[in-house]
Amino acid sequence: MEQAEAQEKIVEALKLKLKTKSKFYFNDLSGILDMKPREAKKYINKMVEDGILEYWSSGSTSMYGLPGTGKQAGAENED
Amino acid sequence: MAKHKTPLLDQLETGPWPSFVSDLKQEAIKRAKNEKGLELQIPVDVVEDLLGVLELSYKHGRTHWKHGGIVGVFGYGGGVIGRYNDQPTMFPGVAHFHTVRVAQPGGKFYSTEYLRQLCNLWDLRGSGITNMHGSTGDIILIGTTTPQLEEIFFEMSHNMNQDLGGSGSNLRTPADCIGQARCEFACYDTQDLCYNLTMEYQDELHRPAFPYKFKFKFDGCPNCCVASIARADMSFIGGWKDDIRIDAEAVKAYVGGEIKPNGGAHAGRDWGKFDIQKEVIGLCPTGCMKYENNKLTINNRECTRCMHCINAMPRALRIGKETGLSILVGAKAPILDGAQMGSLLVPFVEVNPDDDYQAIKKVVESVWDWWMEDGKNRERLGELIKRQGFQKMLEATGIKPVPQHVKEPRSNPYIFWKEEEVEGGWERDIDAFRKDHLR
Ligand code: HEM
Ligand code: HEM
Ligand code: SF4
Ligand code: SF4
């Protein structure tokens, strides 16, 4: 899969869910790409690097989201 | 003089133990004085406000910290734990109060120069409050603001040869015992293996893609000084295959009282004359030692390498020469299903730095492949092993079952064969069978 295609799939799928959810587990993303985790990771790393996705963490668990989405980003003025 | 009144916290100082409240008050005064004239980069009253919000939390019986947020510096998905206060007007000094995880050096060998550098950096760009060390074993710097994160990281990575540690759903900062640097019991070079795997798995450490956290810990022998068996999803514990080396003369010297047992520990009171029968032979968990006619013998086949006899008489007994390590998996703290100790996955594997520890990395990666694919979100490896079964892990990792995988006989004696494992499969000639066996 091309990076661009993977990116499109992820962005589209996450936008669709934005009404109910702004943070996603890694395996939600590998599920969207329909890939094994280790393979999906290469694409997802790149998307973070390119600023298409951003990390969120509770400290113990990490999640991914589209930058600036979710209520917390606004609340902390970090968006 | 204190910014906030803290009667509940003050009470904690009245107990018999040194109190963190006293430490915090001391740090608050130090920051207010700022004797070095630092251009403090985060609010001067950060510690005052920390005390204030803690007092309020005690009063309300509720936390005033929000959960989660920013996670790191550019390119890192861990190493920083974002914390924000939900009363920023009342306590502006701790409106942002992020934690930075810093990878501790192998075996926690520090130079005073390094420690000074670290503290100076943290006085300038953070709260000055440290936790040496966190439960995982890393350096924890508590309390800074978002704009300081990149500055701190730049200083560490450019001027201190220092990386951040792990947090979130990734490989956590690996931790090891001092190992062969100082300890005669070490069966492999813990620091070299810890460093090697840390460098090999940088991506796993800094970019979270696991279902949950994953910890490596390295103990040079079963004494388990970093408690890997209880705290690591994957523990690497040194051991040996051959015989415990016995120095008969030294055994006699212990028996004769010329050498103090346990390296002279337990010296606080008089425990009486050393009794080899009672203190060593009788405490061997497998009963595989004998002391007869002034001669010590060990049935090494039965020895479980518990280390007791070696700890008691270190000058008489030494680890074997054919050393390696055991890999255990699945230890974890409570939360779900209670605490769990590690289960033995690989009884013995050679530790070979010359081929870059290939045998060990193969096990690591096969376990990760299984867990990353089958593990549920927020499921630790130990919980997955319980849910799908140890047997499933053996299948997934391609490791052959061996007697050491059996925890104890009889509790679960039924092994289910698969058709492909049985010669001739399930097919049989029913007529031939019926000739000998009536219905
Ligand atoms: C050479 C002959 C036999 C061998 C090698 C053999 C082997 C075994 C083994 C390995 C077990 C499992 C033990 C365990 O739970 O750890 C077992 C269980 C059992 N065997 Fe045998 N067996 C033999 C003959 C027999 C005979 C002749 C009978 C009955 C007439 C019998 C009745 C049972 C029963 C009832 C159990 C189940 C015990 C339990 O559930 O705890 N076995 N046998
Ligand atoms: C009214 C008569 C019987 C009743 C109600 C009965 C009931 C049971 C029950 C409830 C179990 C446990 C099953 C399980 O663990 O899931 C069992 C196991 C067993 N019974 Fe019986 N039983 C009876 C007669 C017999 C007889 C006559 C024999 C042998 C000739 C026998 C041999 C066994 C054996 C070997 C097991 C162990 C099976 C295993 O561990 O998997 N039972 N029985
Ligand atoms: S775990 Fe063993 S090898 Fe490591 S420091 Fe402790 S006693 Fe020594
Ligand atoms: S190491 Fe433990 S099991 Fe082995 S001989 Fe010594 S006391 Fe016994």
Side-chain angles (χ1 to χ4, degrees), chain A residues 25-27 36 38 41 45 55 57-62 64 72 76 78, chain B residues 66 68-69 71 77 83-84 146 168-169 203 207-208 365 369 373 377:
Chain A
Y25 286 108
F26 178 84
N27 66 9
K36 285 195 181 282
R38 293 256 228 166
K41 189 172 182 188
N45 278 352
Y55 296 120
S57 170
S58 70
S60 68
T61 312
S62 311
Y64 293 75
Q72 193 159 4
E76 270 110 39
E78 298 274 19
Chain B
K66 295 192 251 181
V71 294
R83 286 292 180 266
Y84 302 87
T146 305
S169 306
D203 192 58
R207 283 166 279 278
E365 286 165 29
D369 279 338
E373 194 129 345
N377 293 325

PDB file of all heavy atoms in Angstrom, chain A residues 25-27 36 38 41 45 55 57-62 64 72 76 78, chain B residues 66 68-69 71 77 83-84 146 168-169 203 207-208 365 369 373 377:
ATOM      1  N   TYR A  25      -7.237   3.653  19.597  1.00  0.00           N
ATOM      2  CA  TYR A  25      -6.128   2.759  19.930  1.00  0.00           C
ATOM      3  C   TYR A  25      -5.353   2.414  18.672  1.00  0.00           C
ATOM      4  O   TYR A  25      -5.893   2.461  17.562  1.00  0.00           O
ATOM      5  CB  TYR A  25      -6.655   1.461  20.551  1.00  0.00           C
ATOM      6  CG  TYR A  25      -7.127   1.622  21.963  1.00  0.00           C
ATOM      7  CD1 TYR A  25      -8.475   1.584  22.280  1.00  0.00           C
ATOM      8  CD2 TYR A  25      -6.202   1.785  23.001  1.00  0.00           C
ATOM      9  CE1 TYR A  25      -8.906   1.714  23.599  1.00  0.00           C
ATOM     10  CE2 TYR A  25      -6.624   1.911  24.318  1.00  0.00           C
ATOM     11  CZ  TYR A  25      -7.977   1.883  24.611  1.00  0.00           C
ATOM     12  OH  TYR A  25      -8.396   2.003  25.901  1.00  0.00           O
ATOM     13  N   PHE A  26      -4.102   1.998  18.905  1.00  0.00           N
ATOM     14  CA  PHE A  26      -3.271   1.613  17.765  1.00  0.00           C
ATOM     15  C   PHE A  26      -3.957   0.538  16.925  1.00  0.00           C
ATOM     16  O   PHE A  26      -3.962   0.600  15.700  1.00  0.00           O
ATOM     17  CB  PHE A  26      -1.896   1.116  18.232  1.00  0.00           C
ATOM     18  CG  PHE A  26      -1.027   0.675  17.097  1.00  0.00           C
ATOM     19  CD1 PHE A  26      -0.294   1.611  16.391  1.00  0.00           C
ATOM     20  CD2 PHE A  26      -0.966  -0.653  16.711  1.00  0.00           C
ATOM     21  CE1 PHE A  26       0.491   1.222  15.312  1.00  0.00           C
ATOM     22  CE2 PHE A  26      -0.200  -1.053  15.645  1.00  0.00           C
ATOM     23  CZ  PHE A  26       0.532  -0.108  14.938  1.00  0.00           C
ATOM     24  N   ASN A  27      -4.560  -0.443  17.595  1.00  0.00           N
ATOM     25  CA  ASN A  27      -5.111  -1.527  16.774  1.00  0.00           C
ATOM     26  C   ASN A  27      -6.437  -1.172  16.094  1.00  0.00           C
ATOM     27  O   ASN A  27      -6.872  -1.875  15.201  1.00  0.00           O
ATOM     28  CB  ASN A  27      -5.145  -2.864  17.519  1.00  0.00           C
ATOM     29  CG  ASN A  27      -6.091  -2.861  18.671  1.00  0.00           C
ATOM     30  OD1 ASN A  27      -6.854  -1.914  18.838  1.00  0.00           O
ATOM     31  ND2 ASN A  27      -6.050  -3.909  19.485  1.00  0.00           N
ATOM     32  N   LYS A  36      -1.225  -6.356   9.666  1.00  0.00           N
ATOM     33  CA  LYS A  36      -0.643  -6.810  10.922  1.00  0.00           C
ATOM     34  C   LYS A  36      -0.024  -5.596  11.611  1.00  0.00           C
ATOM     35  O   LYS A  36       0.481  -4.690  10.942  1.00  0.00           O
ATOM     36  CB  LYS A  36       0.441  -7.850  10.656  1.00  0.00           C
ATOM     37  CG  LYS A  36      -0.125  -9.201  10.267  1.00  0.00           C
ATOM     38  CD  LYS A  36       0.963 -10.259  10.387  1.00  0.00           C
ATOM     39  CE  LYS A  36       0.451 -11.629   9.990  1.00  0.00           C
ATOM     40  NZ  LYS A  36      -0.348 -12.291  11.008  1.00  0.00           N
ATOM     41  N   ARG A  38       2.707  -4.830  13.158  1.00  0.00           N
ATOM     42  CA  ARG A  38       4.075  -4.399  12.875  1.00  0.00           C
ATOM     43  C   ARG A  38       4.197  -3.725  11.518  1.00  0.00           C
ATOM     44  O   ARG A  38       5.002  -2.826  11.324  1.00  0.00           O
ATOM     45  CB  ARG A  38       5.009  -5.603  12.900  1.00  0.00           C
ATOM     46  CG  ARG A  38       5.125  -6.184  14.279  1.00  0.00           C
ATOM     47  CD  ARG A  38       6.437  -5.797  14.878  1.00  0.00           C
ATOM     48  NE  ARG A  38       7.043  -6.992  15.430  1.00  0.00           N
ATOM     49  CZ  ARG A  38       8.308  -7.041  15.792  1.00  0.00           C
ATOM     50  NH1 ARG A  38       9.096  -6.027  15.579  1.00  0.00           N
ATOM     51  NH2 ARG A  38       8.781  -8.136  16.325  1.00  0.00           N
ATOM     52  N   LYS A  41       2.493  -0.244  11.600  1.00  0.00           N
ATOM     53  CA  LYS A  41       3.249   0.729  12.392  1.00  0.00           C
ATOM     54  C   LYS A  41       4.088   1.660  11.511  1.00  0.00           C
ATOM     55  O   LYS A  41       4.220   2.843  11.794  1.00  0.00           O
ATOM     56  CB  LYS A  41       4.128   0.000  13.400  1.00  0.00           C
ATOM     57  CG  LYS A  41       4.761   0.953  14.382  1.00  0.00           C
ATOM     58  CD  LYS A  41       5.480   0.271  15.500  1.00  0.00           C
ATOM     59  CE  LYS A  41       6.033   1.352  16.439  1.00  0.00           C
ATOM     60  NZ  LYS A  41       6.910   0.833  17.452  1.00  0.00           N
ATOM     61  N   ASN A  45       3.585   5.535  11.983  1.00  0.00           N
ATOM     62  CA  ASN A  45       4.718   6.374  12.404  1.00  0.00           C
ATOM     63  C   ASN A  45       4.894   7.558  11.463  1.00  0.00           C
ATOM     64  O   ASN A  45       5.101   8.692  11.886  1.00  0.00           O
ATOM     65  CB  ASN A  45       6.024   5.570  12.402  1.00  0.00           C
ATOM     66  CG  ASN A  45       6.181   4.739  13.670  1.00  0.00           C
ATOM     67  OD1 ASN A  45       5.405   4.870  14.608  1.00  0.00           O
ATOM     68  ND2 ASN A  45       7.190   3.883  13.679  1.00  0.00           N
ATOM     69  N   TYR A  55      -0.278  11.934  18.921  1.00  0.00           N
ATOM     70  CA  TYR A  55      -0.398  11.028  20.062  1.00  0.00           C
ATOM     71  C   TYR A  55      -1.184  11.685  21.182  1.00  0.00           C
ATOM     72  O   TYR A  55      -1.159  12.893  21.360  1.00  0.00           O
ATOM     73  CB  TYR A  55       0.977  10.716  20.638  1.00  0.00           C
ATOM     74  CG  TYR A  55       1.952   9.987  19.769  1.00  0.00           C
ATOM     75  CD1 TYR A  55       3.172  10.574  19.439  1.00  0.00           C
ATOM     76  CD2 TYR A  55       1.701   8.694  19.333  1.00  0.00           C
ATOM     77  CE1 TYR A  55       4.119   9.893  18.685  1.00  0.00           C
ATOM     78  CE2 TYR A  55       2.642   8.004  18.577  1.00  0.00           C
ATOM     79  CZ  TYR A  55       3.852   8.612  18.250  1.00  0.00           C
ATOM     80  OH  TYR A  55       4.785   7.947  17.521  1.00  0.00           O
ATOM     81  N   SER A  57      -1.772  10.518  25.462  1.00  0.00           N
ATOM     82  CA  SER A  57      -1.450   9.467  26.437  1.00  0.00           C
ATOM     83  C   SER A  57      -2.023   9.811  27.789  1.00  0.00           C
ATOM     84  O   SER A  57      -2.030  10.971  28.202  1.00  0.00           O
ATOM     85  CB  SER A  57       0.058   9.295  26.547  1.00  0.00           C
ATOM     86  OG  SER A  57       0.361   8.451  27.631  1.00  0.00           O
ATOM     87  N   SER A  58      -2.496   8.802  28.476  1.00  0.00           N
ATOM     88  CA  SER A  58      -2.939   8.992  29.857  1.00  0.00           C
ATOM     89  C   SER A  58      -1.748   8.886  30.786  1.00  0.00           C
ATOM     90  O   SER A  58      -1.844   9.127  31.966  1.00  0.00           O
ATOM     91  CB  SER A  58      -3.947   7.899  30.230  1.00  0.00           C
ATOM     92  OG  SER A  58      -3.281   6.651  30.322  1.00  0.00           O
ATOM     93  N   GLY A  59      -0.624   8.466  30.221  1.00  0.00           N
ATOM     94  CA  GLY A  59       0.542   8.144  31.037  1.00  0.00           C
ATOM     95  C   GLY A  59       0.761   6.647  31.018  1.00  0.00           C
ATOM     96  O   GLY A  59       1.885   6.180  30.902  1.00  0.00           O
ATOM     97  N   SER A  60      -0.336   5.888  31.086  1.00  0.00           N
ATOM     98  CA  SER A  60      -0.181   4.437  31.017  1.00  0.00           C
ATOM     99  C   SER A  60      -0.623   3.882  29.672  1.00  0.00           C
ATOM    100  O   SER A  60      -0.104   2.887  29.214  1.00  0.00           O
ATOM    101  CB  SER A  60      -0.934   3.748  32.152  1.00  0.00           C
ATOM    102  OG  SER A  60      -2.313   3.889  31.985  1.00  0.00           O
ATOM    103  N   THR A  61      -1.574   4.540  29.032  1.00  0.00           N
ATOM    104  CA  THR A  61      -2.069   4.056  27.748  1.00  0.00           C
ATOM    105  C   THR A  61      -1.908   5.147  26.699  1.00  0.00           C
ATOM    106  O   THR A  61      -2.149   6.315  26.983  1.00  0.00           O
ATOM    107  CB  THR A  61      -3.571   3.727  27.839  1.00  0.00           C
ATOM    108  OG1 THR A  61      -3.771   2.939  28.999  1.00  0.00           O
ATOM    109  CG2 THR A  61      -4.036   2.953  26.628  1.00  0.00           C
ATOM    110  N   SER A  62      -1.522   4.753  25.486  1.00  0.00           N
ATOM    111  CA  SER A  62      -1.363   5.738  24.418  1.00  0.00           C
ATOM    112  C   SER A  62      -2.483   5.601  23.406  1.00  0.00           C
ATOM    113  O   SER A  62      -2.956   4.497  23.152  1.00  0.00           O
ATOM    114  CB  SER A  62      -0.045   5.519  23.680  1.00  0.00           C
ATOM    115  OG  SER A  62       0.997   5.400  24.598  1.00  0.00           O
ATOM    116  N   TYR A  64      -4.228   7.584  19.571  1.00  0.00           N
ATOM    117  CA  TYR A  64      -3.934   8.418  18.415  1.00  0.00           C
ATOM    118  C   TYR A  64      -5.175   9.209  18.034  1.00  0.00           C
ATOM    119  O   TYR A  64      -6.298   8.760  18.253  1.00  0.00           O
ATOM    120  CB  TYR A  64      -3.548   7.531  17.220  1.00  0.00           C
ATOM    121  CG  TYR A  64      -2.245   6.786  17.367  1.00  0.00           C
ATOM    122  CD1 TYR A  64      -2.154   5.667  18.200  1.00  0.00           C
ATOM    123  CD2 TYR A  64      -1.115   7.180  16.662  1.00  0.00           C
ATOM    124  CE1 TYR A  64      -0.955   4.969  18.325  1.00  0.00           C
ATOM    125  CE2 TYR A  64       0.084   6.484  16.778  1.00  0.00           C
ATOM    126  CZ  TYR A  64       0.163   5.385  17.613  1.00  0.00           C
ATOM    127  OH  TYR A  64       1.339   4.707  17.738  1.00  0.00           O
ATOM    128  N   GLN A  72     -10.218  17.899  24.958  1.00  0.00           N
ATOM    129  CA  GLN A  72      -9.089  18.237  25.802  1.00  0.00           C
ATOM    130  C   GLN A  72      -8.140  19.243  25.151  1.00  0.00           C
ATOM    131  O   GLN A  72      -7.652  20.152  25.804  1.00  0.00           O
ATOM    132  CB  GLN A  72      -8.311  16.993  26.182  1.00  0.00           C
ATOM    133  CG  GLN A  72      -7.346  17.306  27.304  1.00  0.00           C
ATOM    134  CD  GLN A  72      -6.926  16.081  28.061  1.00  0.00           C
ATOM    135  OE1 GLN A  72      -7.274  14.974  27.729  1.00  0.00           O
ATOM    136  NE2 GLN A  72      -6.146  16.305  29.094  1.00  0.00           N
ATOM    137  N   GLU A  76      -6.927  22.709  27.193  1.00  0.00           N
ATOM    138  CA  GLU A  76      -5.583  22.989  27.681  1.00  0.00           C
ATOM    139  C   GLU A  76      -4.832  23.994  26.821  1.00  0.00           C
ATOM    140  O   GLU A  76      -3.650  24.209  27.018  1.00  0.00           O
ATOM    141  CB  GLU A  76      -4.784  21.687  27.753  1.00  0.00           C
ATOM    142  CG  GLU A  76      -4.927  21.018  29.096  1.00  0.00           C
ATOM    143  CD  GLU A  76      -5.738  19.742  28.988  1.00  0.00           C
ATOM    144  OE1 GLU A  76      -5.565  19.018  28.014  1.00  0.00           O
ATOM    145  OE2 GLU A  76      -6.557  19.486  29.887  1.00  0.00           O
ATOM    146  N   GLU A  78      -3.689  23.598  23.987  1.00  0.00           N
ATOM    147  CA  GLU A  78      -2.541  22.939  23.392  1.00  0.00           C
ATOM    148  C   GLU A  78      -2.778  22.661  21.911  1.00  0.00           C
ATOM    149  O   GLU A  78      -1.993  21.984  21.273  1.00  0.00           O
ATOM    150  CB  GLU A  78      -2.244  21.607  24.088  1.00  0.00           C
ATOM    151  CG  GLU A  78      -1.893  21.729  25.553  1.00  0.00           C
ATOM    152  CD  GLU A  78      -0.423  22.011  25.800  1.00  0.00           C
ATOM    153  OE1 GLU A  78       0.259  22.453  24.868  1.00  0.00           O
ATOM    154  OE2 GLU A  78       0.022  21.792  26.924  1.00  0.00           O
TER     155      GLU A  78
ATOM    156  N   LYS B  66      -6.236  16.490  36.018  1.00  0.00           N
ATOM    157  CA  LYS B  66      -6.917  15.874  34.875  1.00  0.00           C
ATOM    158  C   LYS B  66      -6.034  14.746  34.377  1.00  0.00           C
ATOM    159  O   LYS B  66      -4.853  14.698  34.684  1.00  0.00           O
ATOM    160  CB  LYS B  66      -7.142  16.909  33.779  1.00  0.00           C
ATOM    161  CG  LYS B  66      -8.094  18.010  34.237  1.00  0.00           C
ATOM    162  CD  LYS B  66      -8.530  18.846  33.079  1.00  0.00           C
ATOM    163  CE  LYS B  66      -7.902  20.208  33.157  1.00  0.00           C
ATOM    164  NZ  LYS B  66      -8.317  21.071  32.042  1.00  0.00           N
ATOM    165  N   GLY B  68      -4.100  12.771  31.629  1.00  0.00           N
ATOM    166  CA  GLY B  68      -3.522  12.595  30.303  1.00  0.00           C
ATOM    167  C   GLY B  68      -3.393  13.860  29.496  1.00  0.00           C
ATOM    168  O   GLY B  68      -3.754  14.940  29.935  1.00  0.00           O
ATOM    169  N   GLY B  69      -2.874  13.689  28.285  1.00  0.00           N
ATOM    170  CA  GLY B  69      -2.690  14.817  27.400  1.00  0.00           C
ATOM    171  C   GLY B  69      -1.419  14.678  26.604  1.00  0.00           C
ATOM    172  O   GLY B  69      -1.143  13.611  26.058  1.00  0.00           O
ATOM    173  N   VAL B  71       2.211  14.142  25.206  1.00  0.00           N
ATOM    174  CA  VAL B  71       2.936  12.902  25.472  1.00  0.00           C
ATOM    175  C   VAL B  71       4.419  12.970  25.248  1.00  0.00           C
ATOM    176  O   VAL B  71       5.140  12.054  25.577  1.00  0.00           O
ATOM    177  CB  VAL B  71       2.445  11.791  24.558  1.00  0.00           C
ATOM    178  CG1 VAL B  71       1.043  11.454  24.876  1.00  0.00           C
ATOM    179  CG2 VAL B  71       2.584  12.190  23.106  1.00  0.00           C
ATOM    180  N   GLY B  77       6.425   9.305  21.188  1.00  0.00           N
ATOM    181  CA  GLY B  77       5.071   9.050  21.679  1.00  0.00           C
ATOM    182  C   GLY B  77       5.068   8.730  23.149  1.00  0.00           C
ATOM    183  O   GLY B  77       4.078   8.278  23.694  1.00  0.00           O
ATOM    184  N   ARG B  83       0.188  16.410  32.528  1.00  0.00           N
ATOM    185  CA  ARG B  83      -0.728  16.584  33.647  1.00  0.00           C
ATOM    186  C   ARG B  83      -1.143  18.044  33.739  1.00  0.00           C
ATOM    187  O   ARG B  83      -0.326  18.941  33.630  1.00  0.00           O
ATOM    188  CB  ARG B  83      -0.060  16.150  34.959  1.00  0.00           C
ATOM    189  CG  ARG B  83       0.066  14.628  35.103  1.00  0.00           C
ATOM    190  CD  ARG B  83      -1.302  13.965  35.274  1.00  0.00           C
ATOM    191  NE  ARG B  83      -1.196  12.505  35.404  1.00  0.00           N
ATOM    192  CZ  ARG B  83      -1.310  11.653  34.387  1.00  0.00           C
ATOM    193  NH1 ARG B  83      -1.501  12.103  33.162  1.00  0.00           N
ATOM    194  NH2 ARG B  83      -1.235  10.354  34.592  1.00  0.00           N
ATOM    195  N   TYR B  84      -2.461  18.259  33.901  1.00  0.00           N
ATOM    196  CA  TYR B  84      -3.029  19.597  33.984  1.00  0.00           C
ATOM    197  C   TYR B  84      -3.891  19.675  35.221  1.00  0.00           C
ATOM    198  O   TYR B  84      -4.553  18.695  35.581  1.00  0.00           O
ATOM    199  CB  TYR B  84      -3.903  19.873  32.753  1.00  0.00           C
ATOM    200  CG  TYR B  84      -3.153  19.735  31.446  1.00  0.00           C
ATOM    201  CD1 TYR B  84      -3.040  18.492  30.812  1.00  0.00           C
ATOM    202  CD2 TYR B  84      -2.544  20.842  30.866  1.00  0.00           C
ATOM    203  CE1 TYR B  84      -2.343  18.360  29.629  1.00  0.00           C
ATOM    204  CE2 TYR B  84      -1.854  20.717  29.678  1.00  0.00           C
ATOM    205  CZ  TYR B  84      -1.751  19.471  29.058  1.00  0.00           C
ATOM    206  OH  TYR B  84      -1.064  19.354  27.883  1.00  0.00           O
ATOM    207  N   THR B 146       4.537  22.974  29.290  1.00  0.00           N
ATOM    208  CA  THR B 146       4.687  22.530  27.905  1.00  0.00           C
ATOM    209  C   THR B 146       5.859  23.193  27.173  1.00  0.00           C
ATOM    210  O   THR B 146       6.645  22.504  26.539  1.00  0.00           O
ATOM    211  CB  THR B 146       3.368  22.727  27.145  1.00  0.00           C
ATOM    212  OG1 THR B 146       2.339  22.051  27.865  1.00  0.00           O
ATOM    213  CG2 THR B 146       3.440  22.171  25.735  1.00  0.00           C
ATOM    214  N   GLY B 168       3.272   5.221  28.503  1.00  0.00           N
ATOM    215  CA  GLY B 168       2.193   4.850  27.588  1.00  0.00           C
ATOM    216  C   GLY B 168       2.351   3.426  27.079  1.00  0.00           C
ATOM    217  O   GLY B 168       3.055   2.606  27.665  1.00  0.00           O
ATOM    218  N   SER B 169       1.674   3.158  25.934  1.00  0.00           N
ATOM    219  CA  SER B 169       1.635   1.788  25.410  1.00  0.00           C
ATOM    220  C   SER B 169       2.894   1.453  24.622  1.00  0.00           C
ATOM    221  O   SER B 169       2.826   1.151  23.445  1.00  0.00           O
ATOM    222  CB  SER B 169       0.425   1.617  24.511  1.00  0.00           C
ATOM    223  OG  SER B 169      -0.742   1.999  25.188  1.00  0.00           O
ATOM    224  N   ASP B 203      12.463   2.027  18.454  1.00  0.00           N
ATOM    225  CA  ASP B 203      11.157   2.343  17.885  1.00  0.00           C
ATOM    226  C   ASP B 203      10.034   1.921  18.841  1.00  0.00           C
ATOM    227  O   ASP B 203       9.075   2.654  19.057  1.00  0.00           O
ATOM    228  CB  ASP B 203      11.010   1.660  16.521  1.00  0.00           C
ATOM    229  CG  ASP B 203       9.802   2.186  15.761  1.00  0.00           C
ATOM    230  OD1 ASP B 203       9.751   3.416  15.536  1.00  0.00           O
ATOM    231  OD2 ASP B 203       8.908   1.393  15.421  1.00  0.00           O
ATOM    232  N   ARG B 207       7.818   4.956  20.139  1.00  0.00           N
ATOM    233  CA  ARG B 207       6.607   5.111  19.329  1.00  0.00           C
ATOM    234  C   ARG B 207       5.597   4.022  19.671  1.00  0.00           C
ATOM    235  O   ARG B 207       5.737   2.877  19.265  1.00  0.00           O
ATOM    236  CB  ARG B 207       6.972   5.130  17.844  1.00  0.00           C
ATOM    237  CG  ARG B 207       7.545   6.493  17.442  1.00  0.00           C
ATOM    238  CD  ARG B 207       8.229   6.511  16.127  1.00  0.00           C
ATOM    239  NE  ARG B 207       9.588   6.000  16.220  1.00  0.00           N
ATOM    240  CZ  ARG B 207      10.636   6.733  16.620  1.00  0.00           C
ATOM    241  NH1 ARG B 207      10.496   7.971  16.957  1.00  0.00           N
ATOM    242  NH2 ARG B 207      11.828   6.183  16.699  1.00  0.00           N
ATOM    243  N   PRO B 208       4.604   4.359  20.453  1.00  0.00           N
ATOM    244  CA  PRO B 208       3.696   3.374  21.031  1.00  0.00           C
ATOM    245  C   PRO B 208       2.819   2.666  19.998  1.00  0.00           C
ATOM    246  O   PRO B 208       2.096   3.318  19.259  1.00  0.00           O
ATOM    247  CB  PRO B 208       2.825   4.194  21.984  1.00  0.00           C
ATOM    248  CG  PRO B 208       2.909   5.595  21.477  1.00  0.00           C
ATOM    249  CD  PRO B 208       4.250   5.741  20.860  1.00  0.00           C
ATOM    250  N   GLU B 365      10.714 -11.105  19.836  1.00  0.00           N
ATOM    251  CA  GLU B 365       9.863 -10.686  18.717  1.00  0.00           C
ATOM    252  C   GLU B 365       8.694 -11.626  18.473  1.00  0.00           C
ATOM    253  O   GLU B 365       7.605 -11.185  18.089  1.00  0.00           O
ATOM    254  CB  GLU B 365      10.733 -10.488  17.468  1.00  0.00           C
ATOM    255  CG  GLU B 365      11.537  -9.194  17.628  1.00  0.00           C
ATOM    256  CD  GLU B 365      12.698  -9.041  16.652  1.00  0.00           C
ATOM    257  OE1 GLU B 365      12.606  -9.584  15.530  1.00  0.00           O
ATOM    258  OE2 GLU B 365      13.686  -8.373  17.019  1.00  0.00           O
ATOM    259  N   ASP B 369       4.859 -10.379  18.486  1.00  0.00           N
ATOM    260  CA  ASP B 369       3.961 -10.608  17.354  1.00  0.00           C
ATOM    261  C   ASP B 369       2.619 -11.153  17.824  1.00  0.00           C
ATOM    262  O   ASP B 369       1.559 -10.724  17.368  1.00  0.00           O
ATOM    263  CB  ASP B 369       4.589 -11.594  16.354  1.00  0.00           C
ATOM    264  CG  ASP B 369       5.584 -10.879  15.437  1.00  0.00           C
ATOM    265  OD1 ASP B 369       5.481  -9.647  15.290  1.00  0.00           O
ATOM    266  OD2 ASP B 369       6.463 -11.559  14.870  1.00  0.00           O
ATOM    267  N   GLU B 373      -0.937  -8.837  18.076  1.00  0.00           N
ATOM    268  CA  GLU B 373      -2.044  -9.254  17.232  1.00  0.00           C
ATOM    269  C   GLU B 373      -3.261  -9.677  18.054  1.00  0.00           C
ATOM    270  O   GLU B 373      -4.376  -9.278  17.777  1.00  0.00           O
ATOM    271  CB  GLU B 373      -1.605 -10.425  16.359  1.00  0.00           C
ATOM    272  CG  GLU B 373      -2.572 -10.694  15.246  1.00  0.00           C
ATOM    273  CD  GLU B 373      -1.857 -10.766  13.909  1.00  0.00           C
ATOM    274  OE1 GLU B 373      -0.694 -10.326  13.836  1.00  0.00           O
ATOM    275  OE2 GLU B 373      -2.442 -11.271  12.978  1.00  0.00           O
ATOM    276  N   ASN B 377      -6.975  -4.204  23.750  1.00  0.00           N
ATOM    277  CA  ASN B 377      -6.498  -2.919  24.237  1.00  0.00           C
ATOM    278  C   ASN B 377      -6.379  -2.966  25.749  1.00  0.00           C
ATOM    279  O   ASN B 377      -7.280  -3.439  26.435  1.00  0.00           O
ATOM    280  CB  ASN B 377      -7.467  -1.809  23.837  1.00  0.00           C
ATOM    281  CG  ASN B 377      -7.463  -1.610  22.339  1.00  0.00           C
ATOM    282  OD1 ASN B 377      -6.418  -1.744  21.694  1.00  0.00           O
ATOM    283  ND2 ASN B 377      -8.624  -1.323  21.770  1.00  0.00           N
TER     284      ASN B 377
END
